[in-house]
Amino acid sequence: AVSCRLACGDAEGRLEALFGRVRAIQGKSGRFDMLLCVGNFFGSTSDTEWAEYRTGAKKAPIPTFVLGANNQETVCYFPDVNGCELAENITYLGRRGLFSSTSGLQIAYLSGTESQDEPAPAYSFSSKDVTELKTSLLSTPNFKGVDILLTSPWPRDVGSFANSPGEIDTKKCGSTLVSDVAASLKPRYHFAALEKTYYERLPYRNHTVLQETPQHVSRFIALADVGNTSKKKYLYAFSIVPMSLMDPAELVKQPQDVTENPYRKSRKEAQKTKTLMCAEEEPACQFFFDLNKHQGQKRPSDGKERGNSQPKQAKKPPQPTGPCWFCLASPEVEKHLVVSIGTHCYLALAKGGLLPDHVLILPIGHYQSVVDLSSEVMEEVTKYKSALKEFFRSKGKRYVLFERNYRSQHLQLQVIPLPLDCTSEDIKESFITQAQEQQIDLLEIPEHSDITQVAQPGTPYFYVELDTGEKLFHRIRRSFPLQFGR
């Protein structure tokens, strides 16, 4: 379960230098699972180098995850604020949230720099973003902390009670909101950049000695910019076992050089407000769940509808090239299998079902994959999913759903019921183990992100979704076993 990761400071668009160094390290030390980039991934001169990666002429040698813009100039490189694939092997995580890797690592992230304005500019976060990020995580049962926290700015006061951060004055530099996030989320590793220097702080405690039960320690590491002339460290390799898989006694071991918590004061205040906050912000505790419920309905932010409020003209779905077994208007469709017909979608029993209640969610019009769906159709798919979840739960079951967008004309979401005692972990493990046996990379994608963020229309893929919203994804590059999902 040990994962070897790399973290990197401001790349500033110097992708050849960065990926060249990563290749050299992998050549010497073996493969790393992923590269996590904090600070400015793009710079003012990124265009020529970036074009080669964006078009696929060059490919990152390792799955690379980046934070968003820290200034207006680089906002244009991030087409979707909620996170998306920027190029093959390079993914923008999004404005804020939690990313769970396939190995079970919990990685919290917050993009941009601190802003006092509400709503914050596209390259910043506000106290509201921080409150929502904290609330969504702290409301999960038995929350002990996250494995990794990624931010671009340093946390204010990180140098208190610690080794010197050199020329950086941590009482004036960095963000108090980032300190607040770090105090609440208790990351085992916190990476930041933007100050063009390397600083590895002594580990600090997350509990008050003799007053609270011992907790794991946190390590803060700031990284310099890629290819800096002073030879300051910009790449950091580390091995980590997910917290969820560790022996609790091992997890809370305190190293000899552990220090007091630098955010002690802000933590006391945070503890006070936490009780109030959860009482006041009841909906916020569920905010990710709510987002899923109304997927496709953009809610006005603070009463100001962004951009043009004219209703979008619904796109006419493309027409099939030949006879299609699943278009409801087609004579080929087997109407005796249809269970329910909505406005944009219908539900049908699977013709060769794995179980008697194996069903398909299908669009009435001709769409090839989930990625091609318009927001109205997507919204109805979501309603069907929650209705099926409720129905199966009433029968003491849960479901797993999969889609194979490969050698298929019409979108079919296969929904298969399973006994409730199959846990999410069991289901994911079954898929991942089977995939590994067939040399298929099945990767977990952030639970609250959308499939459209990782796949473009026309991209062949295989995709699994649990009724908890957890998702696994494989981009099909050559061939793919057609019966794999079954």
Side-chain angles (χ1 to χ4, degrees), residues 299-351:
R299 286 176 294 180
S301 51
D302 305 328
K304 289 193 283 290
E305 189 66 67
R306 281 211 195 138
N308 190 347
S309 58
Q310 286 295 310
K312 270 209 290 201
Q313 285 297 301
K315 273 201 309 198
K316 235 187 132 185
Q319 296 312 301
T321 46
C324 177
W325 295 97
F326 298 105
C327 283
L328 206 50
S330 154
E332 272 80 14
V333 79
E334 307 212 19
K335 294 191 170 62
H336 66 283
L337 295 172
V338 174
V339 175
S340 149
I341 301 175
T343 316
H344 304 286
C345 302
Y346 70 101
L347 197 67
L349 290 168
K351 196 175 178 186

Side-chain angles (χ1 to χ4, degrees), residues 356-402:
D357 39 8
H358 172 174
V359 290
L360 311 179
I361 304 172
L362 306 123
I364 292 171
H366 186 77
Y367 291 92
Q368 190 172 332
S369 74
V370 160
V371 181
D372 298 305
L373 296 182
S374 67
S375 56
E376 304 82 57
V377 185
M378 196 60 217
E379 203 180 315
E380 200 167 283
V381 166
T382 307
K383 283 183 183 167
Y384 265 121
K385 283 186 204 168
S386 49
L388 284 169
K389 179 175 178 171
E390 217 172 300
F391 166 71
F392 285 132
R393 290 285 157 113
S394 74
K395 305 277 178 210
K397 296 175 187 174
R398 58 183 308 181
Y399 74 69
V400 62
L401 171 154
F402 64 84

Side-chain angles (χ1 to χ4, degrees), residues 1-3 5 32-34 63 65 99-107 147 240-242 244-245 424-425 427-433 435-436 440-447 470-474:
V2 180
S3 305
R5 314 272 150 160
F32 285 79
D33 290 3
M34 60 166 65
F65 296 87
F99 172 66
S100 303
S101 76
T102 39
S103 62
L105 274 186
Q106 301 277 293
I107 303 170
D147 293 301
I240 183 168
V241 174
S244 54
L245 302 178
S424 301
E425 291 314 308
I427 300 168
K428 285 192 291 190
E429 200 181 315
S430 306
F431 272 97
I432 290 165
T433 309
Q436 281 168 344
I440 294 167
D441 286 331
L442 201 52
L443 301 174
E444 189 155 358
I445 59 173
E447 198 173 312
E470 293 164 275
K471 304 179 179 80
L472 303 172
F473 176 83
H474 168 67

